[in-house]
């Protein structure tokens, strides 16, 4: 069985990280898997790149320009909308022709167009599509922000000026997707049970097969290490409790920095001793922008690509906090838990599937900064912290290990091939 995993980027972004890890997990399980990407960032032989062409850049720019026009030339929401009006035809590539199954992941921003996907489906090869967000099941958005129109038909999109209209851009793209999906079968895989449930509500995916399989993680790389040595390598305090926040861009509203800031300030107010024995480490871009707002000392670590250093960051922490307002199955929580770090997050999306409340972390009430502060303090003051840490590692080994996830995907591939054979 030969699998071609298709993703816009090789390494940048959560979907890219997950797709790359899946490729390695499949290869380690005896399945031949390759990645096809637009943005190749390594010399890995199992990762192929789209042919060199000025059109690759144009596909991205053309889509952004069309979206920009529909936003009345405002940059607000510019990168929250994707319409897949431009992309590359990959069906003539050797990697595509040699594959038994085409496995789509995050293919936006000029990687594949809806027409490109139609050509893939018309090739007759079974197609599996892993949903890293809700975009495949909506008109144009990656996160619904509570909007329920995708359950019937997208319209009046809140991302468009004035809240859109009854026949706006979201409606137009919805209709294109609906025509595409009505003609073809795709095996959709959500990364969490929560997203599976949301996808099954979509009128767009009615009649399609939908299941959930979590992202994998390499526990040979992400595992507990000596905390003091990790802190010394990062030049972090060795005598303080460290609260960690991680995001590619920490100012992203969806990641909940405003609630994190509020929770930390409440924690410092309710427990004055925290100012003396706790500090915050922030991994991600724009960390310096938020540091002055926090009541505890902050160590901005910036954006880091080096995996060994990232593992050090997790191992240096005593608690990891991710107050996302909408999320699927965050790689960051999985990485922290694999390193034995208890996590705190809101009860939203796939987060409650990862964190067992008061067993390996704390699940706070949604958008409740006071409960978030309670959760952080509960972890840091827990008399059986070692047990929390062990339970976090156990959860990852049981649910997200390479072997566990690869075996579940192999089942999905076999079912997709059997369905295609049955239809023929």
């Amino acid at each position: 069985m030969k699998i071609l995993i298709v993703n816009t980027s090789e390494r940048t972004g959560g979907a890219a990280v997950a797709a790359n890890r899946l490729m390695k997990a499949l290869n380690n399980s005896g399945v031949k898997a390759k990645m096809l990407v637009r943005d190749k960032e390594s010399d890995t032989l199992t990762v192929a790149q789209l042919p060199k062409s000025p059109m690759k850049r144009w596909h991205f720019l053309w889509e952004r320009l069309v979206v920009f026009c529909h936003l009345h030339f405002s940059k607000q929401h510019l990168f929250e909308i994707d319409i897949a009006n431009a992309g590359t035809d990959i069906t003539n590539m050797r990697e595509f022709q040699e594959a038994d199954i085409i496995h789509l992941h995050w293919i936006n921003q000029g990687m594949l167009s809806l027409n490109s996907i139609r050509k893939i489906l018309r090739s007759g090869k079974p197609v599996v599509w892993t949903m890293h967000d809700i975009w495949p099941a909506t008109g144009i958005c990656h996160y619904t922000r509570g909007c329920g129109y995708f359950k019937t038909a997208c319209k009046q999109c809140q991302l468009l000026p004035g809240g859109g209209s009854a026949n706006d851009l979201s409606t137009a793209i919805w209709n294109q997707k609906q025509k595409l999906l009505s003609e073809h079968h795709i095996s959709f895989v959500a990364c969490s049970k929560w997203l599976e449930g949301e996808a099954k509500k979509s009128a767009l995916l009615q009649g399609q097969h939908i299941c959930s399989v979590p992202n994998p993680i390499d526990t040979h790389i992400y595992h507990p290490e000596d905390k003091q040595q990790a802190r010394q390598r990062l030049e972090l305090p060795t005598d303080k409790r460290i609260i960690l926040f991680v995001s590619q861009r920490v100012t992203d509203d969806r990641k909940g920095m405003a609630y994190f800031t509020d929770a930390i300030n409440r924690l410092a107010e309710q427990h004055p001793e925290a100012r003396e024995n706790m500090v915050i480490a922030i991994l991600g871009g724009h960390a310096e922008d938020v540091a002055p707002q926090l009541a505890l000392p902050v160590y901005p670590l910036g954006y880091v690509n080096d995996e060994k250093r990232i593992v050090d960051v997790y191992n240096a922490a005593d608690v990891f906090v991710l107050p996302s307002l909408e999320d699927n199955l965050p790689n960051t929580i999985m990485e922290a838990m694999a390193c034995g770090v208890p996590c705190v997050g809101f009860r939203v999306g796939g987060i409650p599937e990862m964190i067992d409340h008061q067993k390996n972390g704390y699940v706070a009430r949604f958008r409740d900064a006071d409960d978030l502060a309670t959760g952080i303090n509960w972890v840091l003051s827990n008399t059986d912290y070692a047990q929390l840490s062990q339970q976090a590692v156990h959860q990852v080994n049981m649910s997200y290990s390479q072997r566990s996830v690869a075996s579940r995907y192999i089942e999905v591939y076999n079912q997709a091939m059997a369905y295609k054979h049955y239809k023929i």
Side-chain angles (χ1 to χ4, degrees):
M1 188 187 299
K2 294 182 179 179
I3 311 299
L4 182 63
I5 294 172
V6 184
N7 197 76
T8 300
S9 172
E10 179 186 357
R11 290 182 173 178
T12 301
V17 170
N20 209 301
R21 287 174 179 171
L22 177 60
M23 177 187 68
K24 294 174 182 176
L26 290 169
N27 283 320
N28 289 340
S29 298
V31 176
K32 292 183 178 180
K34 280 188 173 183
M35 276 186 78
L36 174 62
V37 301
R38 184 192 66 190
D39 305 328
K40 185 172 165 66
E41 301 163 74
S42 76
D43 56 2
T44 306
L45 296 177
T46 53
V47 179
Q49 188 174 24
L50 293 182
K52 290 183 178 180
S53 167
M55 291 303 294
K56 287 195 298 183
R57 182 64 176 164
W58 173 245
H59 290 155
F60 169 78
L61 293 173
W62 175 242
E63 183 184 37
R64 289 309 103 198
L65 179 59
V66 173
V67 172
F68 191 46
C69 291
H70 279 276
L71 291 174
H72 297 173
F73 308 103
S74 168
K75 290 183 179 180
Q76 188 176 17
H77 307 313
L78 181 58
F79 288 95
E80 297 172 51
I81 293 173
D82 275 296
I83 59 176
N85 65 329
T88 301
D89 177 7
I90 65 172
T91 58
N92 293 320
M93 294 186 66
R94 177 176 57 84
E95 288 81 6
F96 180 91
Q97 294 174 355
E98 290 178 351
D100 297 309
I101 290 178
I102 308 304
H103 190 164
L104 306 181
H105 282 254
W106 201 89
I107 45 74
N108 298 109
Q109 296 190 2
M111 174 68 183
L112 297 181
S113 65
L114 294 180
N115 194 46
S116 303
I117 296 171
R118 179 176 286 105
K119 290 180 179 179
I120 291 170
L121 293 166
R122 285 178 176 173
S123 73
K125 292 181 182 287
V127 175
V128 173
W129 194 341
T130 290
M131 300 174 62
H132 294 277
D133 54 44
I134 198 69
W135 185 84
T138 69
I140 60 177
C141 70
H142 292 272
Y143 291 92
T144 63
R145 299 184 175 198
C147 172
Y149 281 128
F150 75 100
K151 299 174 186 177
T152 51
C154 282
K155 60 181 179 179
Q156 298 176 349
C157 182
Q158 60 187 309
L159 298 179
L160 297 173
S165 66
N167 193 28
D168 58 21
L169 180 64
S170 69
T171 308
I173 304 303
W174 173 279
N175 290 337
Q176 292 177 36
K177 287 183 175 181
Q178 190 171 53
K179 187 175 188 303
L180 173 68
L181 292 169
S182 67
E183 298 170 349
H184 300 281
H185 176 268
I186 297 176
S187 297
F188 285 96
V189 180
C191 295
S192 67
K193 293 177 183 176
W194 165 78
L195 186 58
E196 177 189 5
E198 292 297 294
K200 286 180 175 178
K201 297 174 187 175
S202 171
L204 203 58
L205 302 191
Q206 294 303 306
Q208 302 289 342
H209 181 263
I210 306 170
C211 68
S212 62
V213 179
N215 296 326
I217 189 169
D218 189 344
T219 52
H220 293 100
I221 296 175
Y222 289 86
H223 58 82
E225 295 180 354
D226 186 273
K227 195 174 293 293
Q228 294 302 315
Q229 291 181 13
R231 292 181 175 188
Q232 289 169 6
R233 287 190 289 268
L234 296 167
E235 298 181 350
L236 292 173
T238 57
D239 59 344
K240 310 284 187 184
R241 310 305 300 275
I242 296 181
I243 303 166
L244 177 63
F245 182 96
V246 178
S247 177
Q248 187 173 351
R249 181 170 58 87
V250 302
T251 52
D252 182 353
D253 291 342
R254 187 172 59 84
K255 293 299 182 179
M257 175 52 76
Y259 289 91
F260 179 76
T261 301
D262 195 1
I264 291 299
N265 294 347
R266 291 176 189 229
L267 183 67
E269 182 180 342
Q270 295 167 6
H271 304 276
E273 69 279 5
R275 298 177 187 272
E276 302 298 324
N277 58 32
M278 295 182 191
V279 299
I280 298 166
I282 301 179
L283 179 63
H286 302 282
E288 297 85 356
D289 297 344
V290 300
Q293 304 167 20
L294 293 155
L296 299 179
V298 177
Y299 290 79
L301 302 175
Y303 181 77
V304 177
N305 252 336
D306 178 18
E307 198 162 41
K308 290 183 179 179
R309 186 172 173 84
I310 292 172
V311 172
D312 271 345
V313 171
Y314 285 119
N315 273 285
D318 293 293
V319 61
F320 173 62
V321 185
L322 184 65
S324 287
L325 304 182
E326 198 167 11
D327 228 325
N328 184 12
L329 198 81
N331 288 326
T332 50
I333 288 181
M334 192 183 301
E335 291 163 356
M337 291 174 68
C339 294
V341 182
C343 299
V344 179
F346 285 139
R347 185 173 297 282
V348 67
I351 291 174
E353 298 171 34
M354 309 177 80
I355 304 174
D356 286 333
H357 185 55
Q358 296 190 331
K359 292 183 179 179
N360 56 30
Y362 191 97
V363 181
R365 292 185 295 272
F366 186 51
R367 292 181 181 267
D368 189 334
D370 196 51
D371 198 27
L372 196 69
T374 298
I376 297 169
N377 185 64
W378 182 85
V379 170
L380 293 178
S381 61
N382 198 292
T383 55
D384 205 357
Y385 181 87
Q387 179 67 13
L388 287 180
S389 178
Q390 290 169 12
Q391 286 297 321
V393 175
H394 177 71
Q395 168 82 334
V396 171
N397 288 335
M398 290 297 292
S399 303
Y400 311 126
S401 68
Q402 283 191 342
R403 179 176 295 184
S404 170
V405 174
S407 65
R408 292 176 66 177
Y409 263 112
I410 291 170
E411 288 182 21
V412 173
Y413 297 147
N414 285 330
Q415 290 171 2
M417 292 182 73
Y419 179 87
K420 183 66 66 172
H421 178 74
Y422 171 76
K423 293 296 286 184
I424 292 173

